[in-house]
Amino acid sequence: MDVLTALSNKSDYSRAQLQLIVSAWILSGLAEKQSKISLHDGDVAEDDYDKRSLYSLLYALYRSMGEVRDEKGERYEFTFNTWGYTWPEAWGPAPPHQQDPQRYGRNAYSGLYHFEQVKKYVAERNGQVHVVEMGCGTGAGAHHVCKNVLPDCTYEAVDMQSAAIRTCERKFVPDLPGRLQATCSDATHLARPRGFSDFVAVNETHVTELVGVVTDEDDRFFRKAHAMLKPGGFIVWGNAIPDPTWDACFGFLESIGFKLREQNDVTEEAVRARDEDKARIDVYVDQCIEAFHGFKIPGVGAKKRALADVALKNFARNPGTKLYQNMVDRTDTYRVVLLEKMR
Ligand SMILES: C[S@@+](CC[C@H](N)C(=O)[O-])C[C@H]1O[C@@H](n2cnc3c(N)ncnc32)[C@H](O)[C@@H]1O
């Protein structure tokens, strides 16, 4: 069983199914010559995983763990699949929730709307704007924005992962009747009227990952954003991606009718967030690993436990991992950008 490629984004695996899947992955270690996961820093090569399988596993895991405790004993459900950043001083006072276990994720979503041009646009419409988020995960950020950032908006949260959208429907949609809609779809396949949305939000969505190139999927992703936006509407986009990929994307986006209005580099703040969040991630990963019996299988259990530990921490860009180091040495830079649809 290769959990990095074999799972389906259309499934929402139960805890019992996850126990079987994890045990099968552990036992497959008996015949494995070399692991795809680096034991040293959790690195997994792009070609060695399929994002549909990876996120299917992660969202089923988050849901099956339910409420957990952070390092201080505070209860929360892991719903922000977001690295985020500490609030940049230059942006003024930090938003509330700075004691929340998932505050860096909340900051990342608040940060998408910190631009003066965005605030003016929203104020001119008395707050009544529509947002489509492409790659919303569980919808935790969508809920945060509807509650705390754009309290009069309507919002469609879209993700290709069934398990994530089911969490959104269970946990967030009922709290925002008539305002938040959750849609399970590959965002590039959405069929929506042209020019109907004020904002397209893209927060750490797993696209634009290849160094210095705009892939076919990226091309379809941005063209879809363009089609859905009103003229004068905005893409608000934050992520840590390979540094040369930003310029490649900006060139492409300008070629299809966008203008780059502003960009802020928050890589330092993103590294600081990962440093400050390390204790919570360590405790969370321990709780996840303890929950799966297969890791107690003698011999191979311990080996796979170490791999699962470092892989989960790498996805969280925890200090000591490859993805963390990529931000420290600026192989990946975290930027928050504003693009306006001009034509
Ligand atoms: C790192 S997670 C971030 C999720 C969420 N934005 C957050 O910050 O918690 C990346 C997300 O991108 C989603 N994604 C990647 N490509 C997508 C696509 N083409 N359509 C919809 N979702 C996509 C994945 O399913 C995953 O949920």
Side-chain angles (χ1 to χ4, degrees), residues 59-250:
Y59 290 122
L61 176 67
Y62 302 154
R63 202 242 321 107
S64 92
M65 292 302 294
E67 279 211 345
V68 293
R69 288 190 190 278
D70 74 1
E71 75 284 8
K72 296 184 200 126
E74 187 166 335
R75 297 185 77 86
Y76 73 105
E77 183 173 339
F78 198 109
T79 49
F80 281 88
N81 198 7
T82 321
W83 307 301
Y85 43 85
T86 60
W87 191 254
E89 267 181 36
W91 294 1
H97 312 292
Q98 295 305 314
Q99 300 307 316
D100 186 288
Q102 302 186 94
R103 55 193 169 280
Y104 306 112
R106 289 184 188 274
N107 284 348
Y109 274 90
S110 295
L112 295 177
Y113 304 92
H114 84 282
F115 302 104
E116 285 310 318
Q117 205 179 343
V118 165
K119 288 182 188 157
K120 183 166 174 279
Y121 182 98
V122 173
E124 283 168 0
R125 286 155 184 80
N126 296 321
Q128 290 171 358
V129 291
H130 186 69
V131 182
V132 178
E133 182 177 357
M134 298 172 75
C136 64
T138 66
H143 179 258
H144 170 75
V145 169
C146 288
K147 281 283 201 193
N148 305 306
V149 186
L150 302 174
D152 295 307
C153 76
T154 50
Y155 200 117
E156 182 176 7
V158 182
D159 202 283
M160 58 169 34
Q161 288 292 339
S162 170
I165 290 301
R166 283 183 64 176
T167 295
C168 190
E169 284 165 346
R170 165 179 59 87
K171 205 171 158 66
F172 301 123
V173 172
D175 196 34
L176 291 158
R179 289 187 58 208
L180 175 60
Q181 178 191 343
T183 302
C184 186
S185 171
D186 183 322
T188 66
H189 298 164
L190 282 176
R192 295 287 176 275
R194 281 191 77 79
F196 85 111
S197 192
D198 298 285
F199 292 97
V200 166
V202 183
N203 193 69
E204 300 190 13
T205 300
H206 198 117
V207 290
T208 64
E209 295 282 316
L210 289 194
V211 182
V213 291
V214 175
T215 65
D216 287 350
E217 185 192 17
D218 301 338
D219 179 316
R220 284 183 277 114
F221 189 88
F222 288 133
R223 283 186 198 279
K224 183 58 68 177
H226 182 270
M228 292 191 293
L229 278 172
K230 296 174 180 169
F234 298 98
I235 295 182
V236 287
W237 175 21
N239 205 354
I241 60 172
D243 188 60
T245 307
W246 285 110
D247 278 347
C249 289
F250 295 154

